[in-house]
Amino acid sequence: MSNPYAWLESSLATIHKANWYRSVQTITSQPGAVVQLEGREVINFASNDYLGLTGDQRLRSAAVAATQKYGTGSTGSRLLTGHRELHRQLEEAIASLKQTEDALVFSSGYLANLGAIAAVVGKRDLILADQYNHSSLKNGAILSSALVLDYAHNDMADLLRQLEQHRQLYRRCLIVSDSVFSMDGDLCPIPEILAIAHQFNCMVLVDEAHATGVLGATGAGGVEHFGCTGETLIQVGTLSKALGSLGGYVAGSAALIDFLRNRAPSWIYTTGLSPADTAAALAAIKIVQQEPERRLQLQHNVNLLKQLIQQQLPHLQLLPSDSPILCLPLASATAAIRLGEQLKAAGIFVPAIRPPTVPTSRLRISVMATHEMAHLEQLVRVLGGM
Ligand SMILES: *Cc1c(COP(=O)(O)O)cnc(C)c1O
């Protein structure tokens, strides 16, 4: 008798051999710019908590109060028993931040992308997708059954060429891109994409996961950063990065949101977001709108770190970035892991990102508003000694 699960061991062995094996690491302290990782204190350059809101007392209190009032779970899908007034308040707050007619809260950003993409296109339709798009966008495209064509990263000439060749053969077309590329830190050119979409009668979906709360004068994200507020498009994002909670959202026209409530399976057939997560995200959006100084401090820290690296480590070339995600390219997965381990031993937590997540290995530095100048200087000093 052969073992139908035996392939698992050999696949794991292959993953180990390529140095692609991953495992979890335990953080035992409060979230923040300095954390306890596997028993030792490290300066944290691995967090998506860009504004430092995850540990904010106002978010904690909101989550506790909501738990006391509504309990720990939402007990059902939103269309059955899972809808609370808090969900509507959060959706109104997101729509107000984004300046859209409406918004819909999902249980994660991943589910928001799966649901939105699979709802708006189908078998007779076409998706044009940036080759560096996040996993949730890629899997949403597959789930939709539309034909998916990748265009070269941020290459508008390639996007145009493919639309000229293929657009007329399909009913609807959706152009899909990260707004801040999560593993590179660069931005997609939203105005150019919208202009091309207009020319070819395409819808546009941008994933603002790393941009919400971070980019734009009011923290609305990449759409605001590029002056495209008010344009018709589909914006997706997460409540779990700068907003310090858990969950995702889609923001757009009232018709889009109404349609998604009726046709997005990852919203209809999953349990509503917990009261605690909902209330924490709502508190975070208020802080994003009322305390622009957090965003300014974040931008200041990003500029400072870029400047320190340029001045003191001129041999290191960061990938181009307009966000708090700064990447140092490395020749191999082995080199990335080794450098990551050396940094950790020196008290600096910077994750090594390897294939298959990205085509080429790199160290990925995430800057937070709560990093102090001494933290940034220490990173540069330690990198300089390696
Ligand atoms: C993190 C991330 C998501 C997923 O969001 P979750 O709320 O964590 O599920 C989606 N898209 C991008 C680009 C991301 O970086």
Side-chain angles (χ1 to χ4, degrees), residues 130 133 137 151 175-179 181 188 193 205-207:
D130 191 287
N133 276 351
L137 296 172
Y151 59 88
I175 303 172
V176 178
S177 181
D178 282 24
S179 84
F181 284 89
C188 84
I193 289 180
L205 183 150
V206 292
D207 181 345

Side-chain angles (χ1 to χ4, degrees), residues 48 50 106-113 132-137 177-183 207-211 236-241 245-249 325 364:
N48 297 320
Y50 296 113
F106 287 69
S107 298
S108 78
Y110 207 110
L111 289 172
N113 276 326
Y132 285 2
N133 276 351
H134 187 260
S135 161
S136 54
L137 296 172
S177 181
D178 282 24
S179 84
V180 171
F181 284 89
S182 57
M183 293 299 140
D207 181 345
E208 297 261 56
H210 291 275
V236 183
T238 181
L239 309 174
S240 66
K241 289 176 176 141
S245 181
L246 180 69
Y249 65 83
I325 301 167
R364 179 176 178 275

Side-chain angles (χ1 to χ4, degrees), residues 244-266:
S245 181
L246 180 69
Y249 65 83
V250 177
S253 71
L256 170 74
I257 299 306
D258 210 18
F259 180 77
L260 292 179
R261 274 192 292 260
N262 288 277
R263 282 287 184 276
S266 66

Side-chain angles (χ1 to χ4, degrees), residues 160 163-164 167 192-202:
L160 259 176
L163 281 169
E164 275 162 3
R167 172 68 184 97
E192 284 85 342
I193 289 180
L194 287 173
I196 291 170
H198 185 68
Q199 190 184 340
F200 287 89
N201 190 31
C202 303

Side-chain angles (χ1 to χ4, degrees), residues 50-51 97 208 210-215 218-221 242-243 288 295 298:
Y50 296 113
L51 301 176
L97 177 69
E208 297 261 56
H210 291 275
T212 306
V214 172
L215 295 184
T218 70
L243 300 181
V288 162
R295 212 156 33 254
L298 175 60

